[in-house]
Amino acid sequence: MYRLFPPQWLKLFPRAGQWYFGVRNGEEYRLFKQILRDMEPVYTRWAIHRLLHWDSTHVGRSVQILGTHDRVFPPGPTPVEYLIRGGGHFMVLSHAEEISRILNRLLEENRAQVCPSAEFRPFHLAR
């Protein structure tokens, strides 16, 4: 699909992208438009291609955090550890507190493996 409709077309039709990416309010829309302005065509095509052809067979343990309204990466048949109710592709902004809690919990649970000698300091996703 990305070959039929180049991602750069989103610059011409940002409202369609707003729906597709789940951008919900003015703050998110301003950020989305800035992302569109900064979008570099060669990199964007490369990134989309890599995502669509990603071979995860040799990836170690991973944790999926998906949104119930994400049209870009909708929940599929594989188990999802954290399903964010109402979360779209911009849920890092729209559901920042909930995602921060999840990430901090995961870091705390895996602190010894991640950074055994460091002190754990919770972080918060900026809004």
Side-chain angles (χ1 to χ4, degrees):
M1 179 142 167
Y2 73 98
R3 291 184 183 169
L4 295 173
F5 301 102
Q8 292 71 28
W9 283 14
L10 287 172
K11 293 179 182 187
L12 300 173
F13 307 105
R15 292 292 181 187
Q18 178 183 14
W19 171 82
Y20 184 68
F21 287 95
V23 175
R24 300 186 328 181
N25 60 42
E27 178 185 355
E28 291 177 12
Y29 187 66
R30 284 187 292 280
L31 176 61
F32 179 67
K33 283 179 36 177
Q34 183 62 49
I35 290 169
L36 293 179
R37 279 192 292 274
D38 294 343
M39 200 166 55
E40 199 282 317
V42 174
Y43 169 78
T44 303
R45 280 190 179 282
W46 172 87
I48 292 171
H49 178 81
R50 297 305 304 159
L51 280 169
L52 293 176
H53 298 91
W54 181 41
D55 178 11
S56 63
T57 55
H58 301 291
V59 174
R61 182 180 180 271
S62 63
V63 174
Q64 286 195 48
I65 304 173
L66 299 176
T68 58
H69 290 79
D70 193 336
R71 293 178 184 93
V72 179
F73 298 117
T78 59
V80 176
E81 288 82 2
Y82 298 95
L83 191 58
I84 309 298
R85 183 182 306 260
H89 202 65
F90 262 58
M91 70 181 179
V92 170
L93 287 177
S94 63
H95 294 72
E97 289 182 29
E98 185 175 356
I99 293 172
S100 289
R101 280 193 302 273
I102 292 168
L103 294 175
N104 283 318
R105 185 178 328 122
L106 290 169
L107 283 172
E108 182 63 32
E109 290 169 359
N110 298 285
R111 179 173 53 184
Q113 296 145 6
V114 175
C115 199
S117 61
E119 176 185 340
F120 173 73
R121 294 186 190 145
F123 68 93
H124 301 279
L125 296 172
R127 184 125 171 83

